[in-house]
Amino acid sequence: MASAQATGTTAQHPRAADRTATHGPGPGRARDWAEIQERMLVPLYEAVYDRLEVGPATSVLGLGCRSGLALLLASGRGAQVAGQEPHAELRQLARDRRLRVGAADRTSPATGDVPRTAYSLVTVFEQLPGAAEPGRLVAGAAGLTLVGGHVVLAAWGPPERCESAAVLDVARRRAGRTTARDPFALSSPGGLEDLLLGAGLRPAGSGRVSCPFAYADLDSAVRGLLSTGLYDAAVEFSGGSLVAKELEEALHPYLLPGGAVRMANVFRYVIAERIR
C-alpha cells in the first residue's frame, strides 16, 4: 500500500463508503481484511505460538480463522493446520492460500466441517469480541481439542490501553438499538477465564501483547476497520456513508505528519488445557 496524504472527508474516499453498502464482510471487505487488517494481529499469533512452542508435533485448528494468516504462520513452523470460517468469501481467500478451511456455524464450531476430530491446539483469535454466545463458542472449541491439548482465547485488552477504543465507539453510537456487541465486553479481569468454567478446561497461562494498528493512509484505516465486522450493525442501522465519515473523523487524532495512521493497542490471551 502506498502512503498518501489523507485529508478531507468521505467524499474524497468513495471506496470506504461504497464497500459498506451490504451487511456482512462481502467480497470487498473480505479482501480488505486479507490485504489490510489481518496483519495487525501478527504479534498476538506469534506470542502464542512461541509460548506453546508450536512446531511439527502440533496440530492446529483455527476457529473463525478468516483468511488464514494465523494458520499460515503456524504452518511455517511445521505444524499441521486446518480452520473453520463461517463467511464464504473469507473461507475462499484462505483456501486460495492452500489452507484446509471448512465452513462452521457462527456460534457452535462443533457443528462445522473439519478434516479431523480433535487437535492439540485450538485457537479462537478473532471470534470472541463479536460473538453472541461466547460460552457456547468456547465449549465447542474444547470439544475439538485433544485431552491434554490447549485452547487459546483472545480479546481486546483494557480500553484504557487501546487507542482504538475511541474509534470503535463509532460502532456503538451508530448501531442504534440493534444487537451490536461491545468489543471490550471480555476485557475486564477474569472475563476470558470465566468462559472456561464448565467447558472442561483448566487455566494454563495468560499474557498481554502489543498490537499496534498501523495503516498507510486514512482510506486504508477506514477500510481495514470496517473489514473487522465490528461495524456491521452500525452500517445496517445508520448506513455505510455515515459510518465511514464518522470513522474518518475519529481517526484524525491518530494521523501522522506523512498521512499514515497509527494506534497503539493491547490484546490479551488466555491458554487453557483440556482436562476431560
Side-chain angles (χ1 to χ4, degrees), residues 2 6 8 48 61 81 86 96 109 113 118 168 186 250 261:
V48 169
L61 175 66
V81 303
D96 289 346
D113 56 311
L168 291 170
L186 299 172
V261 177

Side-chain angles (χ1 to χ4, degrees), residues 45 49 60-66 70-71 82-86 101-114 119 121-128 134 136-145 151-154:
Y45 308 150
Y49 294 159
V60 179
L61 175 66
L63 297 183
C65 66
R66 298 179 76 82
L71 294 178
Q84 286 186 352
E85 171 52 50
V101 175
D105 183 270
R106 291 172 188 249
T107 57
S108 182
T111 65
D113 56 311
V114 292
Y119 296 77
L121 173 60
V122 176
T123 61
V124 189
F125 283 131
E126 284 112 16
Q127 275 191 309
L128 285 174
R136 188 179 177 195
L137 178 60
V138 173
L144 292 166
T145 307
V151 174
V152 174
L153 310 178

Side-chain angles (χ1 to χ4, degrees), residues 3-75:
S3 177
Q5 181 68 36
T7 58
T9 63
T10 307
Q12 294 173 294
H13 305 292
R15 286 187 301 172
D18 292 345
R19 286 182 176 178
T20 62
T22 58
H23 185 63
R29 275 194 275 172
R31 191 159 293 280
D32 283 344
W33 170 269
E35 295 179 354
I36 300 172
Q37 190 65 30
E38 69 176 347
R39 62 184 173 84
M40 308 301 173
L41 295 184
V42 166
L44 170 66
Y45 308 150
E46 296 285 24
V48 169
Y49 294 159
D50 285 345
R51 184 155 179 176
L52 291 174
E53 298 181 343
V54 168
T58 314
S59 57
V60 179
L61 175 66
L63 297 183
C65 66
R66 298 179 76 82
S67 51
L69 180 58
L71 294 178
L72 277 180
L73 294 174
S75 178

Side-chain angles (χ1 to χ4, degrees), residues 174-188:
R174 283 299 168 189
R177 296 180 179 178
T178 63
T179 57
R181 306 292 167 188
D182 177 7
F184 294 98
L186 299 172
S187 301
S188 58

Side-chain angles (χ1 to χ4, degrees), residues 207-223:
R208 290 184 179 181
V209 183
S210 174
C211 294
F213 282 16
Y215 306 91
D217 51 41
L218 195 60
D219 178 61
S220 295
V222 171
R223 290 163 53 203

